[in-house]
Structure formats: structure tokens, C-alpha cells
Amino acid sequence: MAGDGLQVKQFRYASDNLGYIIYGQKSAVAVDGGAVDAMLEFIDRLKLRLFYVTQTHTHPDHICGNQALIDHTGAHHLNSEALSQLNELVLDGHNINVYQTPGHTQDSVVFYTPGYLLTGDTLFNGNVGSCFSGDMGRFFESIKMILDFPNKTRIYAGHDYVTYSMTVARLIDPDNPKIDSFLQKYDPKCVYSSLAEERMINPYLRFNDPAIVSNLKEKALPHATEYERWVSIMSLP
């Protein structure tokens, strides 16, 4: 729990997908609500009103539970068009900020409430999403925006790719001692990292780190600017 603010509950579905309920004392929002039955049981048990159903982006695995949740609860659907017009939601007197993060898809967003950042497929724990939009420049700006959040922020992603991500991280940054310690605390029952940890183990966020820059030089990849380094890292391994 982040102080006296909102709380976040994680739900696993379809093997590695992760969805969320953001909730206060009375009301809740479902984000990437594929775990329909578990989410309905949770809000019923806590006697919450599901006020909104929404998503981090509109890939099928992130919207597959929307209609069922709406049908069972009467919640309002915030689609991508609605999200593009919003800066924040208010739930039980607390703000949930909505940030546009194009890159993985054009309609990708992240949701922030103090202590928590729901990043969908923009930022995974130890990795980033594929740039299906084709717009690497905007994706880079989205990642840099995320890096401005407080270090203690808990990163809740759209998939559990931790084991794979750390394998990739070792290939890009083989001498990083933080990777093993990060894996030791990995718990598939609740998958998260802090932004501070991401700065230490996620090679896609460490485009200014001397070790990463050195590795890019050794591979004769472009590295003169932040953006060149970002694109070069995205081309690896």
C-alpha cells in the first residue's frame, strides 16, 4: 500500500499475462482485465464497485476480459480514444494519472498512482516491449518519461517475462552483478520491480551506463547519442 492512497492487486492469466485492479475503500478500476473470474471474486469479496474497465493498449490479450467485466458489473469502459483525452482518473478521492506512451503501440498508456506504475507492454520487468508501432523515436521519449518517476515506484508490467528478460540482459551486459540478485527475489506469485532496480538491471534503460556504451563500442554499433545507443540496444542481442 502506498501510504493512505490507492492499492493495486495483480492477477495472472493466460500463462504470462498480468492484469490489475486499482482500488480504494469503495471503488475500483480494472486494467488489462483478462482474469475475469478472479477479478470479479476479488471485488465482490472486498465489496467494491468496479467503476471503470480499461487497458494499457488494445492488443487482444489485454482487452479480452473487458466486455465480461462490463456485463457483470455495469462498469464504464474507457477505450483508447477516451484514454487519449484523459490526464487522470479520480477514485475515492485519489488520482490515477494517465500518460500516453506510444511505442509498443500507438495507443499505449501507463497508469500511475503514488507508489505504483502500471506499464503494460511499454516496460517489462527487466525489458521493454517490441516496437510494433514502428516509431522508435516516440518509444524512446516514452521510456525517458518513465525514467522521471521516483526510484521507489513499483513497476507492474503487462507480462511476466522476468526469466527470459534476465537471459537477454546477461547477453547485452554480461558483467552486471545485479542480475543474479534480482533473479533471486523473483516471485511469480507477485511480479514487480522498483524503478531503481530497473535502472540497475534493465539494459534498455541503461543507455548512458559506461558498461553498456563500452559493449556497444566493442560491437561497432552506433553510440554517439542517447538515441543512437537506444536504437543499438534495441537491435541486440
Side-chain angles (χ1 to χ4, degrees):
M1 183 173 180
D4 295 323
L6 300 173
Q7 300 185 62
V8 177
K9 172 68 174 176
Q10 184 180 83
F11 298 83
R12 182 183 287 264
Y13 66 100
S15 179
D16 59 38
N17 274 83
L18 301 170
Y20 300 91
I21 296 284
I22 307 173
Y23 64 102
Q25 294 295 317
K26 299 179 180 179
S27 305
V29 178
V31 179
D32 295 348
V36 174
D37 291 341
M39 287 181 164
L40 290 173
E41 187 280 329
F42 180 79
I43 62 175
D44 183 63
R45 176 161 47 85
L46 270 63
K47 296 180 171 55
L48 299 169
R49 177 189 177 191
L50 188 63
F51 205 83
Y52 296 113
V53 171
T54 191
Q55 62 283 316
T56 56
H57 61 294
T58 52
H59 279 169
D61 56 325
H62 294 266
I63 63 173
C64 58
N66 284 359
Q67 194 59 55
L69 289 171
I70 292 165
D71 290 344
H72 278 86
T73 66
H76 304 283
H77 182 212
L78 295 174
N79 61 20
S80 290
E81 182 178 359
L83 290 173
S84 71
Q85 306 299 317
L86 288 174
N87 293 319
E88 65 182 24
L89 307 174
V90 179
L91 191 71
D92 290 354
H94 301 284
N95 289 346
I96 303 170
N97 296 105
V98 181
Y99 296 92
Q100 310 299 312
T101 54
H104 176 67
T105 61
Q106 290 291 1
D107 66 353
S108 289
V109 299
V110 300
F111 297 89
Y112 176 76
T113 191
Y116 306 104
L117 185 65
L118 278 57
T119 55
D121 291 3
T122 296
L123 173 64
F124 299 128
N125 305 110
N127 209 322
V128 297
S130 298
C131 188
F132 291 127
S133 71
D135 194 338
M136 290 287 284
R138 295 189 75 191
F139 200 178
F140 181 55
E141 292 303 318
S142 296
I143 292 297
K144 289 210 299 182
M145 184 271 291
I146 288 173
L147 284 168
D148 287 336
F149 285 95
N151 272 333
K152 66 181 181 180
T153 302
R154 181 174 288 198
I155 303 299
Y156 277 134
H159 293 269
D160 174 7
Y161 291 155
V162 170
T163 301
Y164 167 77
S165 295
M166 291 301 94
T167 299
V168 172
R170 282 196 178 100
L171 293 174
I172 297 174
D173 192 15
D175 298 320
N176 187 343
K178 301 293 185 181
I179 292 173
D180 285 336
S181 58
F182 180 73
L183 271 174
Q184 287 172 4
K185 63 162 282 188
Y186 163 62
D187 180 359
K189 295 179 181 178
C190 187
V191 183
Y192 69 93
S193 56
S194 69
L195 187 56
E197 288 173 320
E198 290 297 314
R199 291 178 181 276
M200 293 187 289
I201 55 92
N202 190 330
Y204 302 92
L205 305 190
R206 300 177 61 240
F207 43 82
N208 289 326
D209 186 275
I212 296 290
V213 177
S214 178
N215 289 342
L216 295 178
K217 288 180 180 179
E218 289 179 8
K219 296 177 186 297
L221 290 169
H223 58 270
T225 66
E226 283 188 340
Y227 181 66
E228 285 183 349
R229 295 192 289 274
W230 156 261
V231 173
S232 292
I233 297 166
M234 289 289 281
S235 73
L236 296 172

